[in-house]
Amino acid sequence: MKIVIGNDHAAVALKMEIMEYVKSLGHEVINIGTDSIERCDYPVFGEQAGRAVTSGDADCGILICGTGVGMAIAANKVKGVRAGVCSDTATARLMKEHNNANILTFGARIVGPELAKDIVKTYLEAEFLGGRHQGRIDMFWEIEKGK
């Protein structure tokens, strides 16, 4: 799988660790985040990741900022993105199984490296269940179309 990973200044160290971990799982990584601890604007990276996923340049995305919330808000502004903030493995699994989330976000100030790895692995291994959940995904599309 090709995974776009983005971050802001609050998450440089964790992003580096997660990138290496994702590569160790056999995935390709597209790094769009900052590698500097100098203040930057996370909406830029949230949008870039969202566009990479919706264009098909990436299969899914992982975004990390201080809390994960700002990145999720930014990414969700891109039509077709379903980003969710996650700080536990149960949510990571369910956001893929039920919501077919295409971007995972979490906070470097909220979760530590080992939990972050568990969250990422769980998310990447989970599969959308379809069925009754597909109807809800279709409803998301209707909302985006303004109906």
Side-chain angles (χ1 to χ4, degrees):
M1 221 179 333
K2 191 182 289 187
I3 302 164
V4 62
I5 300 180
N7 65 292
D8 71 357
H9 55 279
V12 174
L14 185 56
K15 185 265 306 251
M16 296 297 192
E17 198 162 341
I18 293 301
M19 280 186 7
E20 290 308 312
Y21 180 67
V22 168
K23 288 176 187 175
S24 79
L25 295 174
H27 303 291
E28 183 180 340
V29 169
I30 304 167
N31 176 11
I32 59 147
T34 184
D35 293 335
S36 168
I37 59 169
E38 295 297 317
R39 185 192 170 282
C40 65
D41 295 317
Y42 58 80
V44 171
F45 303 116
E47 179 185 7
Q48 287 177 359
R51 296 207 185 284
V53 170
T54 59
S55 72
D57 290 339
D59 297 303
C60 65
I62 299 169
L63 293 171
I64 316 165
C65 61
T67 64
V69 174
M71 284 290 206
I73 292 170
N76 278 319
K77 298 297 181 185
V78 177
K79 187 175 183 176
V81 168
R82 291 175 307 282
V85 182
C86 185
S87 57
D88 63 88
T89 56
T91 302
R93 179 178 52 81
L94 291 169
M95 65 190 278
K96 181 67 85 58
E97 289 180 352
H98 292 192
N99 307 115
N100 202 15
N102 51 16
I103 296 183
L104 165 71
T105 76
F106 52 88
R109 295 178 180 144
I110 308 300
V111 300
E114 294 310 311
L115 178 55
K117 289 175 189 174
D118 288 344
I119 290 167
V120 166
K121 187 173 195 284
T122 301
Y123 170 78
L124 294 176
E125 290 178 350
E127 294 185 21
F128 179 54
L129 297 176
R132 66 186 170 104
H133 304 291
Q134 183 60 53
R136 295 176 185 135
I137 302 304
D138 294 342
M139 291 173 79
F140 293 156
W141 282 109
E142 293 301 315
I143 292 168
E144 285 187 352
K145 289 192 272 185
K147 295 183 179 184

